[in-house]
Amino acid sequence: MTPEILIPGQTTLAQLERIWRTEATARLADTARAPIEAAAAHIAAAAAGDVPVYGVNTGFGKLASLKIAAQDTAKLQENLILSHSCGVGEPMPRATTRLMMTLKLLSLARGASGVRWLVVDLLQNMLAKGVTPVVPAQGSVGASGDLAPLAHMTAVMLGHGEAEFAGQIKPARQALEEAGLSPITLGPKEGLGLINGTQFSTAYALAGLFGAWTAAQGALVTSALSTDAIMGSTAPLEPEIHSLRGQPGQIKAAATLRALLDGSVIRESHREGDSRVQDPYCIRCQPQVTGAAMDVLRMAARTLEIEANAATDNPLVLSDGRIVSGGNFHAEPVGFAADMIAMAISEIGAIAQRRVALMVDPTLSFDLPAFLTPRPGLNSGLMIAEVTTAALMSENKHLAHPTVIDSTPTSANQEDHVSMAAHGARRLGRMVENLNHILGVEAICAAQGIDFRAPLPTSVPLQKAVAALRTRVATLGDDRYLAPDLAAAAALIGDSTIVQSTALTFPTL
């Protein structure tokens, strides 16, 4: 696989998504080496001098006032990594770990961290050869850097801890050697440069963003299917309605819904003589809700694209050679972005769940049978599938509570305000999974409703979407064991099969 070439400060979301989805390798552009080595020279000079420089020849955090002898600076950095490897819980997913490593490459390549080229080269060679550190996912509060998880990543570079290689978990030193690589000894400030930073939180937030956007696109398809299933009106999709408001996400969502429903015979069949004046909000306000959520996701995307390209460790080597302590390790921007993504995920699921509830309720679904079974009573149909969506919707509402507002002091009150971006970002994967299941159930219900409208066909794009679903989930007759159907439908949402089946162009990040 051809590696992604990363230009520091200019790497795009599209590149990062390809790295995350395909586990593509990544290498820095050749132009990155000179500024990296220039900053390393400044650190080497500081380490040889007598002036205390934080993290170079001093202790860390509350211990910053303690001067470290020149002969002990290498041991200082190793001790930093070993003592900070305090993560707990399940390991990070491999793809997200590799994205974190990529983000760390980008940060170091800004030429402000002061690490030597050999450190950067080992990290990109680990990516190229498939040596992936085993990184426990819990332990960061998102300030002073994602210290514990990044320490576990760095420990592998020193030959400590564990790594995945060739499909197996192995001791780090063994994994490196089997890949033809060797552990390194850290120089002054290099351990600090590797573990100070927001790359863990940002990697999880990006993974959540990419998954959320795929789900949002899928929600446009499932909501269009639901509209036809309940014989809803397309009048609320009129372009002028949305241009009069001017919100870009709403305008694009409405345009996509119009394209999805264009040519539906089901729609034409009730354009005249339908006694209903207005549909419920979950049908009528789809562009306003899903479109707004997509706008929120785009705002978060801009923040995360900037953060992915940022130098976020401490201290930093400035362009004039000064080594200055600051606070770029504080993950507040990532925490805010993660909270925005979480709210968008929750709202997309909330309105989708109401569409599911609408379709299974015979008093609201415009002549569809109760719970979308042809023989209600003996059969329960999709009754409990709808209950499952309610459970998942409620869970996502709880998970969407802002995390960035929850701070607690750490490190003997030296780090007295933290972002909590790490678990704010980490919850997003669970929320996306919940949303995919909600939308999968909506797709099942809507396709079932459209089947009941036969011989009237839906539009061609939506016929293709139903056909894609039917490759994995058969039309429901008598009751059957439904859990595999729900899992299959969620997978079709999560991997974009439903969206791609329509052969239409969808809004992008």
Side-chain angles (χ1 to χ4, degrees):
M1 186 179 296
T2 303
E4 290 284 340
I5 303 301
L6 308 178
I7 300 175
Q10 300 178 39
T11 298
T12 66
L13 284 176
Q15 287 181 288
L16 297 172
E17 184 169 9
R18 282 193 295 271
I19 289 167
W20 177 68
R21 289 195 184 278
T22 69
E23 297 191 19
T25 58
R27 296 193 71 83
L28 293 171
D30 292 341
T31 53
R33 182 164 183 168
I36 289 172
E37 292 184 329
H42 288 297
I43 292 294
D50 296 326
V51 178
V53 179
Y54 174 71
V56 177
N57 52 14
T58 72
F60 307 105
K62 198 73 170 180
L63 304 175
S65 60
L66 299 179
K67 183 79 161 56
I68 306 299
Q71 64 268 24
D72 292 329
T73 54
K75 187 63 175 174
L76 174 71
Q77 298 300 314
E78 182 182 20
N79 286 348
L80 175 71
I81 300 307
L82 298 179
S83 67
H84 283 53
S85 295
C86 290
V88 299
E90 293 295 316
M92 293 177 70
R94 184 177 63 197
T96 308
T97 305
R98 288 177 59 85
L99 180 56
M100 177 180 71
M101 296 164 71
T102 302
L103 297 178
K104 179 52 74 174
L105 276 179
L106 284 171
S107 181
L108 298 177
R110 291 300 298 270
S113 297
V115 305
R116 294 164 296 165
W117 176 256
L118 70 87
V119 176
V120 176
D121 202 37
L122 175 58
L123 194 56
Q124 61 184 5
N125 282 333
M126 288 168 63
L127 282 168
K129 298 193 176 186
V131 178
T132 307
V134 175
V135 178
Q138 293 172 275
S140 175
V141 295
S144 198
D146 291 314
L147 296 173
L150 288 171
H152 281 277
M153 179 197 78
T154 305
V156 171
M157 301 170 72
L158 308 185
H160 298 287
E162 293 183 319
E164 180 182 346
F165 180 69
Q168 295 182 321
I169 303 299
K170 305 179 180 187
R173 188 173 295 272
Q174 178 184 343
L176 289 170
E177 289 174 355
E178 290 183 9
L181 302 172
S182 300
I184 58 172
T185 299
L186 295 174
K189 205 253 175 194
E190 289 179 337
L192 196 60
L194 285 161
I195 70 171
N196 255 196
T198 66
Q199 288 76 39
F200 172 88
S201 297
T202 305
Y204 265 108
L206 283 168
L209 171 70
F210 299 145
W213 190 263
T214 297
Q217 291 177 320
L220 294 175
V221 179
T222 59
S223 61
L225 287 166
S226 297
T227 300
D228 246 8
I230 63 105
M231 290 186 141
S233 174
T234 55
L237 302 178
E238 285 287 333
E240 189 174 355
I241 291 175
H242 306 285
S243 64
L244 282 168
R245 192 175 203 180
Q247 297 289 352
Q250 176 180 327
I251 290 168
K252 291 176 182 177
T256 303
L257 288 165
R258 287 196 301 273
L260 285 163
L261 286 157
D262 185 44
S264 168
V265 177
I266 294 174
R267 172 64 184 116
E268 294 306 316
S269 71
H270 65 98
R271 195 176 288 276
E272 302 293 336
D274 193 332
S275 60
R276 294 171 297 174
V277 177
Q278 292 182 328
D279 292 317
Y281 286 4
C282 65
I283 298 295
R284 194 179 356 144
C285 300
Q286 293 171 53
Q288 288 81 357
V289 176
T290 305
M294 295 177 96
D295 276 342
V296 166
L297 292 175
R298 286 193 184 94
M299 286 187 281
R302 297 289 78 77
T303 295
L304 295 177
E305 186 173 48
I306 292 168
E307 191 73 6
N309 284 281
T312 57
D313 68 286
N314 179 62
L316 293 172
V317 183
L318 303 185
S319 57
D320 60 6
R322 287 180 299 143
I323 303 169
V324 181
S325 289
N328 278 5
F329 50 71
H330 200 296
E332 195 83 356
V334 182
F336 277 123
D339 285 347
M340 291 164 66
I341 295 167
M343 288 188 290
I345 292 171
S346 181
E347 280 298 275
I348 293 169
I351 194 169
Q353 199 283 325
R354 298 317 304 154
R355 292 191 295 266
V356 173
L358 179 69
M359 287 185 282
V360 301
D361 186 344
T363 64
L364 299 173
S365 63
F366 201 59
D367 298 330
L368 291 176
F371 304 108
L372 298 167
T373 174
R375 288 170 289 278
L378 178 63
N379 294 296
S380 295
L382 293 164
M383 177 191 295
I384 305 305
E386 185 268 331
V387 174
T388 297
T389 65
L392 296 174
M393 174 190 68
S394 181
E395 184 174 300
N396 272 1
K397 286 180 179 179
H398 288 279
L399 289 170
H401 185 277
T403 62
V404 78
I405 62 174
D406 178 29
S407 177
T408 187
T410 61
S411 192
N413 280 298
Q414 176 74 6
E415 298 154 11
D416 58 354
H417 182 278
V418 299
S419 73
M420 296 300 180
H423 63 267
R426 201 162 49 80
R427 71 184 153 164
L428 297 178
R430 179 176 166 191
M431 294 186 70
V432 168
E433 186 176 345
N434 288 346
L435 177 55
N436 287 342
H437 277 94
I438 294 170
L439 297 175
V441 171
E442 183 182 13
I444 291 172
C445 291
Q448 187 84 354
I450 285 171
D451 286 349
F452 282 121
R453 302 300 180 190
L456 299 176
T458 187
S459 67
V460 171
L462 294 182
Q463 288 177 45
K464 293 176 179 177
V466 172
L469 178 70
R470 291 289 175 245
T471 64
R472 301 285 302 279
V473 180
T475 300
L476 184 63
D478 289 333
D479 284 350
R480 63 174 184 256
Y481 188 65
L482 282 175
D485 292 341
L486 271 57
L492 293 172
I493 297 292
D495 66 10
S496 279
T497 296
I498 290 287
V499 167
Q500 293 171 13
S501 70
T502 66
L504 295 178
T505 299
F506 280 73
T508 61
L509 274 174

